[in-house]
Structure formats: C-alpha cells, structure tokens
Amino acid sequence: QVQLVESGGGLVQAGGSLRLSCAVSGSIFRINAMGWHRQAPGKERELVAALTSGGKANYADSVKGRFTISRDIVKNTLYLQMNSLKPGDTAVYYCNAELTPYGMGPRDYWGQGTQVTVSS
C-alpha cells in the first residue's frame, strides 16, 4: 500500500522554526506532484506549498518568503522548512501527493497530518 507519513510538528514560539517531513512508501511508478496543505479549526483546508514533477515550487501568499518546500528524490521524502512562524500558522499540516502506483492510474494520497502550534 502507498503511505504518506508526516512528522516534525510541535509547539513553537512565534518567530521560531520547524521542519516537517513526509515519507512516501509503497510501489510507486511515478510521483507527479507533491505538496503541503493545512487546516485550522473552523477553516477549510488550504494549499501551503507544492512541487511539480519538474521542480517548480508554488506557495500561498501568506507563507511566501518564510516557508520552503523541497524533496529528496532518493529518500522519497518531502520537506517543508517553516521559518518566522506566526500564530496564524497554527494548523494541522497534511502531506499530499499525486502518485501513479504500479498497475494503477494516477490518484491523490494524503498523510495523517501533523499538528503545528505557534504561541505568541
């Protein structure tokens, strides 16, 4: 089975940094795109950052200049470096990937989420 497992969340004071990781496992033919979403209580899930298969990065306006998305191809791991964190960044962060598993068509997969809490 294809699995995405996030880690690295936690509690941090405003202005601090966290590095989220998303490990992808399974019989995967191709990773088409990967990204991070987040969801705060009472709000819809929103895209934070994404990487296309060509390496192009896109960011939400609220995190531009503070967050950096990257991928380790050998380890099949996605990262989100979060600097200058604000209380508004508090949310559950989810790893997302569009994958093409062996023997299947492309589809979206989601991790279980990791909590990020930023205190004032």
Side-chain angles (χ1 to χ4, degrees), residues 64-120:
K64 286 181 179 178
R66 300 189 297 119
F67 291 11
T68 303
I69 187 171
S70 62
R71 190 175 108 197
D72 187 322
I73 298 176
V74 176
K75 293 184 176 181
N76 259 1
T77 300
L78 184 72
Y79 301 98
L80 184 67
Q81 179 66 47
M82 305 185 295
N83 299 325
S84 301
L85 283 163
K86 304 175 181 179
D89 296 319
T90 296
V92 177
Y93 285 71
Y94 297 91
C95 180
N96 168 247
E98 182 185 285
L99 308 175
T100 302
Y102 283 106
M104 302 179 186
R107 63 189 65 186
D108 283 349
Y109 292 86
W110 294 86
Q112 82 287 354
T114 184
Q115 177 70 48
V116 172
T117 303
V118 184
S119 62
S120 300

Side-chain angles (χ1 to χ4, degrees), residues 30-35 50-58 71 73 98:
R30 182 176 64 247
I31 298 177
N32 303 316
M34 300 186 72
L51 270 180
T52 68
S53 59
K56 183 180 179 180
N58 295 297
R71 190 175 108 197
I73 298 176
E98 182 185 285

